[in-house]
Amino acid sequence: MNKEERLASESTLPLIDAIPKATHDEIARQKYVAFLRKYVMVDLQTGMRNIYEALVEPAYKKKNGQAPKDAQAVRKAMQPVTYYRAWSSLRYNAQEMTWHSVENAVERAVPDLINVASKAASKIPAGGTLRLDSGVDMPKAVTALDIHLMPGCFHTEFTDDDVSVGAIYAHGTKVFSGALRKSDNPGKGGVADSIGHYLKLKYPDFRPMRILDLGCTIGSNLLPYRSAFPYAELYGVDVGAPVLRYGHARAEALDIPVHYSQQNAEDMDFEDGYFDLIVSSFFFHEIAVSSTQKILREVRRLLAPGGVTIHMELPPSEEVDTYYNFFLDWDAYHNHEPHYAAFRQQDPKALLMRAGFDEEKCGLVRIPDRGGVSDDEFSAFAQGKADAPQHNNFSSYYLFGASK
């Protein structure tokens, strides 16, 4: 029994993650898909870069008198290459298979999932809250496409009080990253755990009393802040009701009071200066840059004086080489993330300044994943005595943010 299951067993609610029961064959399929993704994203990707550097780039230089200047030029040069076409096809299919590998188990469990989520909403044993708004302004970035190729995206409801897409997301993301995550420091790591402990080590006097997570989905990158800041009140907003219902049930079973609400982050109903720390993870690249600007202005309004906002995102295009930009921007063309490349071309510091933050209080930093290094190594990084690993498959995270 792991820590989450033990905590849930002590609660009056079962852990909602444990309700879908995969068969022997379904588990085998999920393991296969996880390692297929690792093979595509690491092994085949290494070979593809070797082909680019040995053949494609020299041929481009010979023809054009210079190396490709940006990701678009690399993409155009790579499109006719058989290796890239095969890799891209495998990656797309592996992405779809990630979700399909967990669908059957989730669909069989839908009545029980809804029952547990409904009990959590009525009994609230941990003291959290769930506010849903059927009239929320649902952004086109969510409704127009199934982001990440996940059926139903984050918002679709197939029946009353549905939590299906929350369960698909919870179990699918375990398959998605299962063979890629490095576990040199067991029980630690992930976006929120890494950011929370980085802030705690870097700024020991910073003690946020209220933390808000934007685009929180099921709360996977919100709950770990409890470890770094156990006294803080946790809040999460998302436009998808199913993921919020799922996240609320999960937090209640784990005895973590979280206040979830269905809101568009461009215009939230919290009072000015309500939060000390506002965070997000893999959020802004899913929305239009115009929406990003509105949300950052709203973030500044909600921050208390001395408050901090920090957002984990993909590295800006100017921070990495042209080939890696091409590799990262694959999602913009094939993973239903049309704003991905445009966001990465922005200067995060400039976005924050246009939202009203002072230039000297804005910054960009790359931190290691806490699960991929020892505690001593992580502490040395926070103290400025070591460098973070390069960005690659959960080894490190790019953060941009500001203080007010």
Side-chain angles (χ1 to χ4, degrees), residues 80-328:
V81 177
T82 301
Y83 193 110
Y84 167 70
R85 294 164 72 88
W87 175 85
S88 185
S89 179
L90 280 171
R91 182 174 176 184
Y92 186 94
N93 279 275
Q95 183 75 11
E96 287 193 316
M97 291 165 69
T98 293
W99 313 117
H100 295 330
S101 72
V102 302
E103 280 180 333
N104 289 343
V106 169
E107 288 176 0
R108 290 194 301 269
V110 166
D112 292 332
L113 288 165
I114 292 174
N115 182 48
V116 168
S118 297
K119 285 183 178 178
S122 61
K123 294 184 178 181
I124 51 172
T129 57
L130 175 65
R131 293 191 294 130
L132 300 179
D133 177 9
S134 59
V136 68
D137 180 18
M138 197 71 68
K140 186 178 179 181
V142 172
T143 60
L145 296 168
D146 285 343
I147 295 173
H148 304 146
L149 308 182
M150 189 181 85
C153 198
F154 307 115
H155 68 293
T156 303
E157 300 189 51
F158 301 98
T159 187
D160 292 343
D161 301 321
D162 200 9
V163 296
S164 299
V165 295
I168 293 291
Y169 181 82
H171 290 270
T173 50
K174 291 178 182 178
V175 175
F176 179 86
S177 60
L180 289 171
R181 286 195 179 277
K182 185 180 178 183
S183 300
D184 289 347
N185 203 344
K188 301 173 183 177
V191 176
D193 180 74
S194 299
I195 295 175
H197 284 85
Y198 166 73
L199 290 173
K200 189 174 182 179
L201 290 167
K202 185 75 173 179
Y203 308 104
D205 294 330
F206 179 59
R207 298 184 178 183
M209 300 307 296
R210 294 193 187 101
I211 300 173
L212 172 65
D213 184 18
L214 308 175
C216 65
T217 62
I218 63 171
S220 298
N221 285 318
L222 173 58
L223 302 189
Y225 281 102
R226 179 77 171 221
S227 171
F229 306 112
Y231 40 77
E233 295 179 10
L234 303 181
Y235 292 75
V237 298
D238 202 288
V239 294
V243 292
L244 291 171
R245 292 188 188 106
Y246 190 98
H248 175 66
R250 191 166 180 251
E252 290 296 312
L254 295 172
D255 196 31
I256 302 176
V258 181
H259 305 290
Y260 288 108
S261 57
Q262 187 178 12
Q263 300 192 58
N264 187 320
E266 292 183 9
D267 183 18
M268 293 175 277
D269 63 9
F270 304 110
E271 63 187 56
D272 294 358
Y274 196 68
F275 296 101
D276 305 295
L277 176 61
I278 300 179
V279 299
S280 71
S281 309
F282 292 115
F283 174 57
F284 285 111
H285 72 260
E286 307 292 11
I287 60 178
V289 174
S290 58
S291 294
T292 293
Q293 205 63 77
K294 293 176 183 176
I295 291 169
L296 289 176
R297 284 196 291 269
E298 183 72 344
V299 165
R300 188 178 183 279
R301 178 185 73 81
L302 295 177
L303 272 183
V308 171
T309 186
I310 192 162
H311 307 278
M312 192 286 294
E313 259 301 344
L314 297 152
S317 57
E318 65 178 16
E319 294 287 326
V320 297
D321 63 51
T322 53
Y323 178 86
Y324 196 56
N325 277 323
F326 149 75
F327 170 70
L328 289 177

